[in-house]
Amino acid sequence: MAQKKKPLEKFDKLSADTPILPSISSLMEVELVTNPEGGVLVIITRALPSPYWWAEYDIDLQQLYFVTVHGQLQGLGMKIHDVFEKRMINAKDVKIVRFEKNTGKMIGIPYIIPLVVRKHTLKD
């Protein structure tokens, strides 16, 4: 009999067998913007394939990941350079907005998800 998988609790550290989706940058154009006050904005050019529960910034791997409501992991797909690190560490959430290239305008309101900052993940 197959063992029932424990439901994912919000902000849990993900297991090694967490399903991985293709990165956002492999599916569409994407930009990351930060500000000195700890604001993080991800600009996308298509609809998200799945709703997100939270985002994780892994300092050691210099990566931003998104956890879907179905317990899957989707990376931004680009290295988070050192210049962004201090701003990312101080951030509490990530805002995601969709940009329509044809009109040059943002579509809808920002999708806001909490951000978890993970340190020393390479030691786990």
Side-chain angles (χ1 to χ4, degrees):
M1 179 181 250
Q3 209 174 17
K4 196 171 189 180
K5 191 172 182 178
K6 178 184 164 206
L8 180 67
E9 297 293 328
K10 198 166 192 178
F11 307 130
D12 273 353
K13 184 158 174 76
L14 301 173
S15 67
D17 65 345
T18 299
I20 308 293
L21 298 173
S23 71
I24 297 172
S25 67
S26 72
L27 302 173
M28 66 186 86
E29 293 178 59
V30 62
E31 290 292 333
L32 174 69
V33 181
T34 64
N35 68 27
E37 291 76 39
V40 177
L41 177 68
V42 174
I43 303 169
I44 58 175
T45 55
R46 294 187 183 165
L48 293 171
S50 184
Y52 299 137
W53 204 359
W54 76 87
E56 296 192 1
Y57 170 49
D58 187 309
I59 295 172
D60 301 321
L61 297 176
Q62 295 182 295
Q63 294 291 320
L64 180 62
Y65 301 99
F66 299 91
V67 180
T68 72
V69 296
H70 305 293
Q72 300 165 308
L73 192 63
Q74 185 166 40
L76 184 62
M78 60 176 64
K79 178 181 177 179
I80 306 299
H81 296 283
D82 294 339
V83 71
F84 292 108
E85 183 176 306
K86 186 176 182 181
R87 295 174 178 187
M88 297 285 290
I89 289 171
N90 294 323
K92 303 289 185 229
D93 57 40
V94 174
K95 294 171 182 66
I96 302 172
V97 295
R98 186 169 167 200
F99 178 75
E100 177 55 55
K101 289 173 39 173
N102 294 336
T103 63
K105 295 183 180 182
M106 300 294 175
I107 298 173
I109 61 173
Y111 180 38
I112 302 171
I113 55 174
L115 175 65
V116 174
V117 177
R118 304 259 187 221
K119 300 176 186 178
H120 311 300
T121 58
L122 297 177
K123 296 178 183 178
D124 292 348

